[in-house]
Amino acid sequence: MTTNRIIALAGNPNSGKTTIFNALTGSNQRVGNWPGVTVEKKEGVLRLEGMDYTVVDLPGTYGLSARSIDERVARDFLVRNRPSLVAVILDASNLERNMYLALQIMELGVSNVILVFNMMDVARSRGLDIDVKAMGIFLGLPIIPTIGNRREGIEDLKRVISLYMRGRGDGNDDKLIRKAPFKYRQELEDAIRQVGAMIPKDLAKKYPARWVAIRLMEDDGEYRHIVEGLASGKEILSKVESLRQHIEGILGYDVETAMAEMRYGYINGVVREFVKKKPSVADRLSMSDRIDTVVTNKYLGLPIFFLIMWIAFMLTFDLGGLFSTYIDSFFTFLGNITAVHMRPEWLASFVTDGVIGGVGAVLVFLPNIFMLFLMLSILEESGYMARGAFVMDRLMHAMGLHGKSFIPLVLGFGCNVPAIMATRTLENRKDRIITILVNPLMSCSARLPVYVLFAGALFRAHQGTVIFSIYLLGVILAILLARIFKSMFFKGETTPLVMELPPYHIPEAKGVFLSAWQRSGLFVRKAGTIIFAAVILVWLMASLPAGVGYGSEHSLIGRLGSIMAPVLSPAGFGYWQAAVALFFGILAKEVVVGTLGTLYHTTGSGLSAVIATHFTPLSGYAFMVMTLVYIPCIATIAVIKRETNSWAWAGFAVAYSLVLGWSLAVMIFQVGRMFV
């Protein structure tokens, strides 16, 4: 029995890999980052026949050439960790594209590989008839057809995994025989063999010799660097260069292109042999194609996109608000009980004003946060989010951004930190830095409690529309500033958008809810750590020095706020409490609400009533815009520095956002006063 109990799931983006991962691991999952890089790492536990196996969901990639961070992470894991089994998840409706990654994994020399042909229902709807059994025999690999979102084929997949992990899947399962291993044309095979023979044994223990030879022949910079450090490195690289020149002389073009063409040629032959398309369906538009004629239409695409996003935010507010009322009632009841029965008085103040007034004021909005993540998950899983990038491409191009930048920007609605990390999928450094700089303008979920509080207090009849306008303003500002930053720092042409539009499918309920639950859990953990620590600091500063009234202008926090308040007076909210809330909001944007709750001794509806007495609709809207734009939170500043590798860019992001936020808030209030 194998001692390595690691199962790796590999696959292209939009192949349904995460759905398969969820089906195998259920709720036994944990999310973190890969060591040394800010790319999300998902692991889970699969229990089969009394044994626990670690399932690792590798980043979605189209190949293993390591042109992006995701590809490098996936490749390094397969090479260095050498999992017992690699399950490659393929979109059965598009095998010619998906098989490229599978072929490279086979080239990598992984001992146990199985192919999972997912989305078989989509393949059938397109008239594709796949002879799975015959293709499996030809390739010498087990192929398991699945429909992940319906859990069809999952038990078959578990059975095959169990056989392999117990050492009984090495050809005995379905009597598979590798009849046609992929080979390059003879000149290349001879070159690979010669280079492979020169690879020292020590290096071959870490990286398969044939794989190293293939990467060197494709002029992979990372492997060239590895070989350069060897005693025989110069000799090996000299031989590689000589062989490359010889082969290019025969072919008439570069080796990298030739090897890619040979892989695709092999794949094309396999697909042509084992996949047949029914004539009656061959010329018929698929359901996805018919929908796309409307939602990606040149004139209708953008209005439809904004309508869908507006509906998502309306549902976020309306449905989330139903549950927020119960949480508000609970914290109000808890605060009243504590104030009456807890002694001594300072402890009662700490619990009531600090903990309940601060953390409770934030947690009241947890249902709204959950609904926002749920809406985003549904849009992502259904395949519509990719269309959002497509229809926005022309507008993004006009403003100097790559259309692909829209995906990290939309992810910013959830949290700016992973959204900035997601810019690693952009190949061009200029596009990456511009997208990073404007990403904090996308209103993250941490700001949502501020919007819900102020919109509920000041715009009760139009809450959803007001909140949507703030999000829309962030998008507009991001696009406009991207154009300005491009003209200032990065002049030149923007590369065209080339991206895959995955087929539409009904999101898996369990996967969508699990994703929203996990992301909301991060919000709750933040409430129990950063926000808790911040409101305790606010409570202490509001209680000191001894003898002053709690939260008075003479307390430490009152004095701090009084210094900053005059700067905010032109924006209509020159109250020291507002100044302090914005100041501590730099720690985490949720702290804005927590600070107000702590200073005003109340949560939920009570806090809304206080806001209505201190703010007008005009000054309240200016405050929301200030919250949207001004200095990013500390975590976002840190990730900007890390992703750009420059404190200068991080400092620039802080400076421009502070000036822009204050300027917009003042302009909105001062111009608005002329009309009210």
Side-chain angles (χ1 to χ4, degrees), residues 311-343:
I311 292 172
F313 287 117
M314 289 294 291
L315 291 174
T316 293
F317 185 86
D318 293 340
L319 296 182
L322 295 176
F323 298 96
S324 294
T325 303
Y326 295 107
I327 299 178
D328 177 27
S329 300
F330 169 74
F331 279 116
T332 301
F333 169 77
L334 196 61
N336 293 335
I337 291 293
T338 303
V340 172
H341 297 287
M342 183 170 284
R343 293 294 181 271

Side-chain angles (χ1 to χ4, degrees), residues 532-544:
F532 179 77
V535 298
I536 296 309
L537 178 59
V538 170
W539 177 82
L540 281 172
M541 294 181 68
S543 303
L544 297 174

Side-chain angles (χ1 to χ4, degrees), residues 112 191 230 300 325 363:
N112 293 321
L230 301 175
L300 297 176
T325 303
L363 289 178

Side-chain angles (χ1 to χ4, degrees), residues 487-553:
S487 63
M488 288 173 60
F489 306 120
F490 302 103
K491 294 183 172 148
E493 292 296 317
T494 303
T495 52
L497 173 67
V498 179
M499 68 177 298
E500 172 199 6
L501 294 183
Y504 291 100
H505 46 80
I506 298 174
E508 181 197 19
K510 180 180 178 181
V512 166
F513 274 94
L514 186 60
S515 174
W517 180 260
Q518 289 173 339
R519 293 156 92 178
S520 300
L522 295 175
F523 173 80
V524 174
R525 284 197 289 277
K526 189 191 287 187
T529 53
I530 298 174
I531 298 171
F532 179 77
V535 298
I536 296 309
L537 178 59
V538 170
W539 177 82
L540 281 172
M541 294 181 68
S543 303
L544 297 174
V548 301
Y550 173 82
S552 71
E553 196 170 351

